Amino acid sequence: MSRALLAELLPGARFRSRCPACGGDHGRIHVEGADAAVSVSYVEGWAVAVAAQGLERVGLDAVPTDAGGLERVLPRPAPPGPDDLESPAPEAWADAGGSSAAPARTWARVEAVLKADGRGLTVDARRVDVQGNGGTWVARILSSAPRGRPRANEGDPAEGLPREWRGWDLDGPANVVLAVAVESASGL
């Protein structure tokens, strides 16, 4: 279903995926025949897709607002200390209005960044530092420096360059939160 959505967004393009771990036809989707990056996500009977022309990387995630257990895998709501990767107590996740959708919103942002980064969940989600509220935010993936040392933006391991991601919260189906992330250097 997602390939059909992508074909509507980028007519004439071809899409392929190959898992680097198992070689299967899943994982990050690469575009052939168009200058664009794509990402897809699935949630409760929906497939959502984004095509970003002129960009090399984009990440999209969709999460049900009632997803449970996210507080165990998410970064802290406040910026983490240099050696602090512990998850907060569940009550720390209610937003100012008392909404329980805050963990889902945070997870959508984190996973959108990790998809755009290309390493996905091979990176500990607690290492994604998201700053900003409202519909626009920025994020960095923090390195896992030894205790006592400051953590810096890890960036692209292949290029050794720091990366910052720019993101947006999107409208989606009822009871679903969406987030999309692109590299800040893209000029968007």
Side-chain angles (χ1 to χ4, degrees):
M1 175 137 93
S2 65
R3 304 288 169 110
L5 287 171
L6 293 174
E8 286 185 37
L9 295 172
L10 295 171
R14 294 171 312 284
F15 310 97
R16 65 175 174 78
S17 333
R18 177 145 331 256
C19 174
C22 73
D25 184 23
H26 60 94
R28 186 175 181 172
I29 300 173
H30 299 275
V31 179
E32 297 171 351
D35 180 21
V38 298
S39 186
V40 299
S41 189
Y42 305 91
V43 62
E44 297 181 357
W46 293 92
V48 291
V50 63
Q53 292 192 326
L55 297 179
E56 290 183 32
R57 298 171 184 250
V58 63
L60 169 71
D61 197 43
V63 180
T65 56
D66 63 354
L70 294 174
E71 67 279 351
R72 294 188 306 266
V73 294
L74 285 171
R76 293 177 156 264
D83 299 310
D84 189 4
L85 290 177
E86 296 301 315
S87 295
E91 59 273 8
W93 286 100
D95 64 19
S99 169
S100 61
R105 171 69 62 207
T106 301
W107 180 258
R109 292 172 174 181
V110 165
E111 192 160 358
V113 168
L114 293 175
K115 285 180 173 183
D117 174 71
R119 293 178 286 169
L121 294 175
T122 64
V123 174
D124 184 341
R126 296 173 295 174
R127 292 176 40 208
V128 179
D129 178 31
V130 178
Q131 299 291 316
N133 288 314
T136 304
W137 41 273
V138 296
R140 289 178 309 284
I141 299 174
L142 304 173
S143 73
S144 54
R147 275 198 173 287
R149 288 194 168 165
R151 295 185 303 177
N153 189 15
E154 184 172 274
D156 186 332
E159 300 172 14
L161 300 174
R163 287 214 166 139
E164 186 171 84
W165 304 95
R166 189 167 184 189
W168 298 268
D169 299 335
L170 305 173
D171 292 332
N175 301 315
V176 174
V177 294
L178 301 172
V180 66
V182 300
E183 282 184 88
S184 285
S186 66
L188 295 177

